[in-house]
Amino acid sequence: MKARLEELGPHYTSALQNHVDNPSEAVLHRAYQLGRKALDDELGVLEMASLYHAAILKLLSAARTPEQSS
């Protein structure tokens, strides 16, 4: 299970950054694909919450201004 989380993590972070930068139908479609992959890999709510938490921390730590972190 851990390997699947580590594999999906960078994709999840990238998709979240894309959504923040440019919320669009294409970005939403990518999020749906990642969700389907997570379901196929039998990831649960806690694993998805862990991915989200790690992605948020990474994106906020990379923010250069207060506006970028909100």
Side-chain angles (χ1 to χ4, degrees), residues 1-9 34-49 51:
M1 181 85 60
K2 184 175 171 106
R4 288 183 246 171
L5 278 175
E6 289 174 359
E7 177 186 317
L8 194 58
L34 283 172
R36 286 187 204 97
K37 170 107 174 87
L39 286 173
D40 289 344
D41 289 347
E42 299 179 354
L43 298 179
V45 173
L46 292 178
E47 289 89 5
M48 293 307 297
L51 283 176

Side-chain angles (χ1 to χ4, degrees), residues 5-31:
L5 278 175
E6 289 174 359
E7 177 186 317
L8 194 58
H11 298 289
Y12 188 96
T13 302
S14 175
L16 185 58
Q17 181 65 59
N18 288 341
H19 172 69
V20 169
D21 292 342
N22 179 27
S24 67
E25 237 2 84
V27 173
L28 185 59
H29 180 69
R30 182 175 177 206

